[in-house]
Amino acid sequence: MSSTIAAIATPMSAGGIGIVRISGEEAQQIADKVFKGVKGIKLVDTQGYVAQYGKVYDGDTPIDEAIALVFKAPKSYTGENVVELSCHGGLYVMQRVLRAVFNAGATPAQAGEFTKRAFLNGKIDLAQAESVMGVISAQGQQGLQASLSLREGRLSKKIDEITNNLISSAAHMSAWVDYPEDDVPELDFSVLKEQFESARESLEQLLKTFDSTKAITQGVNTVIAGRPNVGKSTLMNLISGTKRSIVTDIAGTTRDVVEQTVRLGEVVMNLADTAGIRETDDPVESIGVDIAKKRIESAEFILAVFDASQTLDKEDKDLIELCRDRNVIAVINKTDLEKQLDTDYIESNFKNVVYISASSGDGYEKLSDCAAKILGTDKIDTTAAVITTERQRACCVKAVESINEALSAMDMGLTLDAINVCIDDAVSALLELTGKKAGEEIVNNVFHRFCVGK
Ligand code: GDP
């Protein structure tokens, strides 16, 4: 029997209500030791799903008023007996209630343990479990929608369908090899090939959506680059809506990389504002410039900023070179000032150019539309099956590779056994995606990323 666990399920900060969640076979018995309902009914004797008002005690010491809600196994989040005690949302009071629950026999929940138990009890699969963190960390409507679609099992359903088709092809091959004298339908290689190709195509379709989905869920690593004073910090502040970067008109004020996650339209950007690309003798600033170059090289998306009121100089041209063949928008800033910049030169060097005034906010929407177009987020159907994590992506890639190996084995005229081994590998990768056949290490790794109380 696994232990009965407890944790604070709401944020660790002051708020109106704080919830202490208890899950496990002994959940009601433990809760009964700390919670006394005004009606005097014990939680073990209730049908569940009805709120009860009462008080929480640690021994004889009253701690807080609370509402207790009982969920009975298997109809609960974890699939186990669950009691949620909603008390006042003060940090101290929540911790006192939790301590009382521990004193009554519960053990502290590990990060993600409630959801892990939901997975182990078959309430959700691994991909659905991952969606829980996606819903919690969603930054925009599209990201939320994609995680909800995963939560509802759209990806799992699609993956199950592909897996079952591969399993039935593999079963046919095995039967044909092992029982040739029996009544096994004849194996048609061209049909088999079509089945494998169709599975591969479905997986490739899913993989195609990953980069766009990532841009609305986990975020794209983005760099705002440009020489000093072009308005990088002002642009960052415009996008984030805060005054995080220091804005001054002394060149070289932004010395190191300032990072934050912001939303440009529906696109989530893990944004870094860097020191200007500038050759400098100042040792502190030159470290910043080096970091900036490295950032640009490793960024997934670049906002290359140019000053419309200045003529192009060597630093601008260096930036143009660094941005060649990259996912980039040339942002021509300070369009409210008299134009000096050779915009034709910029237009001829970038596929995407947007004109803005970061200080007034003019052109913001064009910038956000352009980012959505480049990253493909304007075309995502978030109600369809989508891949939202690197783990899911890696499993799909592995499955595609194995199917490709099976197809090559067929072309080379290898034995059915050899083909079957490849299909087995593809099936294993897909079963790992949904967690139907995932080792302990993989499962632990998924839940390791969760917060305590989830
Ligand atoms: P950074 O060094 O590239 O980060 O540039 P800053 O954001 O610090 O901006 C440098 C100066 O340009 C500041 O005085 C800003 O107020 C000003 N600035 C930024 N954007 C605009 C703009 O769109 N129009 C005008 N007129 N000034 C701007």
Side-chain angles (χ1 to χ4, degrees):
M1 188 187 77
S2 59
S3 57
T4 296
I5 51 169
I8 296 168
T10 39
M12 291 299 277
S13 59
I17 292 171
I19 296 178
V20 171
R21 190 192 246 170
I22 311 166
S23 178
E25 202 162 321
E26 300 287 314
Q28 288 104 310
Q29 283 86 347
I30 288 173
D32 272 329
K33 289 188 194 159
V34 301
F35 178 81
K36 307 281 173 253
V38 284
K39 289 191 178 155
I41 307 168
K42 284 198 165 297
L43 297 173
V44 280
D45 298 329
T46 61
Q47 291 296 313
Y49 312 99
V50 175
Q52 288 207 57
Y53 171 69
K55 269 193 181 147
V56 174
Y57 294 82
D58 192 0
D60 294 328
T61 315
I63 301 171
D64 194 14
E65 296 170 291
I67 301 281
L69 191 52
V70 174
F71 302 80
K72 290 200 164 174
K75 291 187 177 167
S76 71
Y77 181 71
T78 57
E80 303 174 328
N81 289 331
V82 169
V83 179
E84 286 182 0
L85 296 172
S86 302
C87 52
H88 287 103
L91 259 183
Y92 178 72
V93 73
M94 285 192 289
Q95 277 163 350
R96 281 293 280 122
V97 171
L98 182 63
R99 197 191 317 154
V101 170
F102 290 154
N103 288 342
T107 54
Q110 304 293 312
E113 196 171 354
F114 292 100
T115 311
K116 184 175 177 182
R117 287 183 175 207
F119 164 67
L120 294 174
N121 290 323
K123 299 286 290 186
I124 49 174
D125 69 21
L126 211 51
Q128 287 174 302
E130 283 173 317
S131 75
V132 174
M133 278 317 282
V135 172
I136 293 173
S137 58
Q139 307 262 347
Q141 183 54 33
Q142 270 192 317
L144 176 63
Q145 186 64 50
S147 295
L148 284 174
S149 151
L150 189 63
R151 175 88 181 85
E152 282 164 12
R154 303 234 169 96
L155 175 65
S156 309
K157 210 167 139 216
K158 183 89 202 156
I159 294 294
D160 284 348
E161 193 185 297
I162 300 169
T163 313
N164 290 338
N165 288 343
L166 288 174
I167 290 175
S168 88
S169 307
H172 189 179
M173 281 193 286
S174 299
W176 181 254
V177 172
D178 297 340
Y179 309 104
E181 66 283 0
D182 286 4
D183 219 3
V184 178
E186 193 173 347
L187 197 63
D188 181 338
F189 260 58
S190 62
V191 172
L192 208 56
K193 205 168 168 188
E194 266 171 36
Q195 288 166 342
F196 296 161
E197 280 168 353
S198 146
R200 181 179 62 184
E201 198 186 319
S202 301
L203 291 168
E204 279 172 345
Q205 285 296 336
L206 282 174
L207 283 167
K208 257 192 218 154
T209 63
F210 178 69
D211 285 342
S212 323
T213 311
K214 183 168 173 264
I216 54 165
T217 52
Q218 297 159 52
V220 250
N221 295 333
T222 305
V223 159
I224 300 185
R227 66 170 149 113
N229 251 7
V230 289
K232 296 181 297 300
S233 307
T234 315
L235 174 61
M236 179 142 172
N237 292 340
L238 172 72
I239 298 175
S240 67
T242 62
K243 292 255 175 218
R244 172 103 192 264
S245 295
I246 323 151
V247 180
T248 70
D249 46 13
I250 307 158
T253 332
T254 315
R255 298 219 164 181
D256 56 3
V257 180
V258 183
E259 288 178 299
Q260 55 184 323
T261 297
V262 297
R263 197 154 60 84
L264 178 61
E266 286 292 331
V267 172
V268 178
M269 293 180 157
N270 305 322
L271 204 56
D273 169 15
T274 64
I277 309 280
R278 199 164 80 112
E279 279 172 24
T280 169
D281 296 333
D282 175 342
V284 176
E285 207 185 306
S286 105
I287 293 170
V289 173
D290 271 357
I291 295 176
K293 276 194 177 163
K294 288 210 175 89
R295 281 288 167 129
I296 291 173
E297 277 157 18
S298 64
E300 294 170 306
F301 194 62
I302 305 160
L303 298 175
V305 188
F306 301 91
D307 185 337
S309 69
Q310 302 282 326
T311 51
L312 274 175
D313 71 3
K314 182 177 174 300
E315 295 159 53
D316 292 318
K317 290 185 176 161
D318 286 350
L319 177 61
I320 293 172
E321 287 316 310
L322 280 172
C323 291
R324 218 168 272 296
D325 302 323
R326 307 290 306 277
N327 250 353
V328 55
I329 301 179
V331 181
I332 299 186
N333 187 34
K334 306 196 192 181
T335 50
D336 52 306
L337 300 178
E338 195 182 325
K339 185 181 136 182
Q340 299 288 336
L341 187 73
D342 181 355
T343 49
D344 287 346
Y345 187 81
I346 304 276
E347 295 271 0
S348 65
N349 277 286
F350 289 90
K351 239 199 293 182
N352 297 287
V353 182
V354 172
Y355 293 80
I356 68 159
S357 165
S359 55
S360 74
D362 273 2
Y364 176 85
E365 265 184 29
K366 284 205 183 98
L367 185 63
S368 106
D369 290 349
C370 186
K373 194 185 86 199
I374 295 175
L375 295 164
T377 59
D378 56 343
K379 295 206 178 64
I380 308 177
D381 176 5
T382 48
T383 59
V386 283
I387 298 179
T388 61
T389 67
E390 290 287 351
R391 189 192 69 84
Q392 295 162 5
R393 181 185 166 276
C395 291
C396 281
V397 168
K398 173 84 192 39
V400 168
E401 283 169 2
S402 300
I403 294 172
N404 279 338
E405 282 165 18
L407 286 165
S408 318
M410 283 174 103
D411 288 344
M412 289 190 289
L414 298 187
T415 63
L416 283 175
D417 274 343
I419 300 167
N420 230 344
V421 167
C422 304
I423 294 302
D424 253 8
D425 286 347
V427 168
S428 294
L430 297 177
L431 291 176
E432 184 180 313
L433 193 159
T434 52
K436 292 197 173 83
K437 204 176 119 187
E440 202 178 328
E441 200 181 323
I442 293 164
V443 172
N444 287 342
N445 211 345
V446 166
F447 292 103
H448 181 67
R449 294 158 209 268
F450 277 57
C451 40
V452 173
K454 195 63 233 167

